[in-house]
Amino acid sequence: MHKQIGKNLLTTTTLNIFTYLVPLIVTPYFVRIVGTDNFGLLSFAQTIIQYLILFVGYNLDATVSGEVVIIKDNHEKLRKLFWKTMLARLILFFIATSIFLFLLLFYELANLNSSLLVVTFIGLIGYAITPLWLYQGTERFFELFLFVAIGKILFAVSIFLLVENFF
């Protein structure tokens, strides 16, 4: 048991370090490419996506992971909870995507930066399809780390590949 706690602590610590490390790598590159005057564009795009992530999450990560802890040994109940939660997230994701498309079409500042918004939208897609709550509830922190790390890496790679083309 103590080995598992140590492994979980190491994994969550590594995840926190990784979460802070990616922006430290991406931000200087982004500022060098777009200049300091346009740095706020990345923050603007990330803020919009973070609000949409909050909407899609609808506090499901916290509440459902608590339910998973209770029923994690009952595979039938866990399967039903998984699909019920993913359906709810999918519905919320489609609503969030509609809001996102509305912003792209009708919000003047978003139109000026639509390519950057599309790049950051990858984060919303990743969040919507990743069952973080399942990995938290079943205490599978290594898989949780992998999903978050892959998402952060995809975001960083998309910034490196796409930003230079748009600015």
Side-chain angles (χ1 to χ4, degrees):
M1 181 169 156
H2 293 286
K3 287 183 182 180
Q4 185 64 29
I5 291 171
K7 183 179 177 185
N8 291 345
L9 182 62
L10 180 63
T11 304
T12 54
T13 302
T14 307
L15 178 61
N16 287 335
I17 291 169
F18 193 80
T19 299
Y20 289 110
L21 187 64
V22 170
L24 283 173
I25 294 168
V26 171
T27 302
Y29 174 78
F30 184 81
V31 170
R32 184 174 58 86
I33 297 299
V34 302
T36 55
D37 293 340
N38 292 324
F39 175 67
L41 300 177
L42 180 62
S43 296
F44 172 76
Q46 288 177 324
T47 300
I48 288 174
I49 298 304
Q50 285 302 314
Y51 279 119
L52 294 175
I53 284 174
L54 284 173
F55 178 77
V56 171
Y58 193 65
N59 204 26
L60 290 173
D61 288 339
T63 56
V64 176
S65 64
E67 289 182 49
V68 170
V69 168
I70 295 168
I71 65 168
K72 66 182 174 186
D73 295 327
N74 186 332
H75 296 292
E76 182 61 28
K77 284 185 179 179
L78 190 60
R79 185 184 64 78
K80 286 180 183 177
L81 180 64
F82 175 84
W83 289 111
K84 184 172 79 170
T85 305
M86 290 306 285
L87 178 62
R89 284 180 85 133
L90 186 64
I91 291 168
L92 291 169
F93 173 74
F94 281 122
I95 294 169
T97 301
S98 300
I99 293 168
F100 177 78
L101 292 173
F102 178 81
L103 284 173
L104 283 179
L105 293 174
F106 297 108
Y107 188 58
E108 184 178 323
L109 188 57
N111 280 336
L112 296 174
N113 310 305
S114 60
S115 55
L116 190 57
L117 279 170
V118 170
V119 169
T120 57
F121 188 73
I122 294 170
L124 181 62
I125 295 169
Y127 177 78
I129 64 172
T130 304
L132 300 176
W133 48 270
L134 179 66
Y135 296 114
Q136 289 171 336
T138 56
E139 298 178 358
R140 293 166 43 196
F141 293 105
F142 183 73
E143 288 92 344
L144 174 67
F145 169 76
L146 284 179
F147 274 110
V148 173
I150 289 169
K152 297 280 184 190
I153 290 170
L154 286 175
F155 174 71
V157 168
S158 65
I159 289 291
F160 286 131
L161 294 177
L162 300 174
V163 167
E164 209 168 287
N165 296 328
F166 295 129
F167 287 94

